[in-house]
Amino acid sequence: MERALDILLAFGPGDQALTAGELLKRVDLSRPTLYRLLRTLENKGFIISSGVPQRFALGASVAQLAHVWSTGLDVAALAQPMLQALWEQTCETVALLLHQGDHRVCVAELPSAQPLSFKRGVGHREAVARGASGRVILAHLQAPEVHLPTGPEGDALRKRLQQIREQGYEVSRDELIKGAVAVAVPVFLGDGRVVGSLAVFGPSVRVDAACVRRFVELLKSQSVRLSQALGRRS
């Protein structure tokens, strides 16, 4: 059983199909054992094979299990340890925002305990093209252009999204709330799709350039933890 699972876990994001030789490089199995387990997995719908030379891909049974798992997934609950860690490390308001169509929605938030702070509240919706926590999601969507305005504004935003993808985070100042700074990073599902963002919000009088750099590293670390909890392997 464990060796069969090793075969399924050998497939990573972007792997459409693998040859037996490619699989043997990723799993510690003999060729006869590999083929025997592949036949068992194929009989149960977890693997499909085609072509000459023969190539193997994940089958419908994997998709069925993924659907059952994802529909019962409570991302906000999974994110609580990561949000708590960020809240303690930054002393600022931290939030988890999920992508929903043309918007991103706050599904979890821990407000800063400091007298001067910013918060939006669970349930707050904003266009996905606005703010750091929205654009960092937009930058990693497969088809971000459907959410972009036309004309020069859309062209400028398209260039900005490329920069966000390259650096892995986004920062906004005085954009949605005067005097507020937002720093955000993307969160991914197991199949590599972006599901939302983790963000820190604070006043510009406290969040200077050095704070932003520190927040970026903290956010990236907790995003890796949350993405792994959501099934991402790297």
Side-chain angles (χ1 to χ4, degrees), residues 107-201:
V107 297
E109 183 179 77
L110 296 180
S112 171
Q114 302 188 75
L116 177 57
S117 60
F118 297 97
K119 62 180 181 179
R120 306 307 295 271
V122 173
H124 178 77
R125 296 169 63 87
E126 190 67 66
V128 74
R130 301 189 66 202
S133 59
R135 282 192 299 275
V136 81
I137 297 172
L138 185 59
H140 293 85
L141 293 177
Q142 289 187 344
E145 60 275 0
V146 301
H147 304 285
L148 300 181
T150 58
E153 183 182 358
D155 293 338
L157 185 51
R158 192 174 291 106
K159 292 180 181 178
R160 181 62 185 168
L161 295 180
Q162 177 61 36
Q163 181 180 355
I164 295 170
R165 282 191 293 273
E166 292 173 355
Q167 64 190 21
Y169 67 91
E170 171 64 323
V171 180
S172 64
R173 293 181 179 273
D174 303 312
E175 184 176 355
L176 299 178
I177 301 177
K178 187 68 175 177
V181 179
V183 187
V185 299
V187 176
F188 299 96
L189 292 172
D191 60 5
R193 288 180 296 131
V194 65
V195 69
S197 60
L198 283 175
V200 175
F201 306 99

Side-chain angles (χ1 to χ4, degrees), residues 9-152:
L9 292 173
F11 289 85
D15 288 333
Q16 297 297 320
L18 299 173
T19 64
E22 289 170 329
L23 284 169
L24 285 170
K25 293 178 181 179
R26 303 184 185 189
V27 296
D28 185 20
L29 297 172
S30 66
R31 185 174 290 269
T33 300
L34 174 66
Y35 275 105
R36 177 174 57 80
L37 293 173
L38 284 170
R39 285 195 297 271
T40 300
L41 290 169
E42 189 168 11
N43 289 337
K44 295 297 184 179
F46 287 95
I47 289 288
I48 56 175
S49 62
S50 62
V52 179
Q54 194 174 29
R55 298 180 68 84
F56 301 91
L58 296 177
S61 291
V62 173
Q64 179 184 354
L65 290 179
H67 175 70
V68 172
W69 178 75
S70 62
T71 53
L73 198 59
D74 187 340
V75 182
L78 284 174
Q80 286 305 310
M82 297 77 180
L83 290 171
Q84 184 67 31
L86 284 169
W87 186 80
E88 294 173 357
Q89 293 164 341
T90 66
C91 298
E92 303 292 351
T93 296
V94 298
L96 169 68
L97 306 102
L98 297 185
H99 177 225
Q100 292 184 4
D102 290 329
H103 299 84
R104 48 109 172 110
V105 180
C106 179
V107 297
E109 183 179 77
L110 296 180
S112 171
Q114 302 188 75
L116 177 57
S117 60
F118 297 97
K119 62 180 181 179
R120 306 307 295 271
V122 173
H124 178 77
R125 296 169 63 87
E126 190 67 66
V128 74
R130 301 189 66 202
S133 59
R135 282 192 299 275
V136 81
I137 297 172
L138 185 59
H140 293 85
L141 293 177
Q142 289 187 344
E145 60 275 0
V146 301
H147 304 285
L148 300 181
T150 58

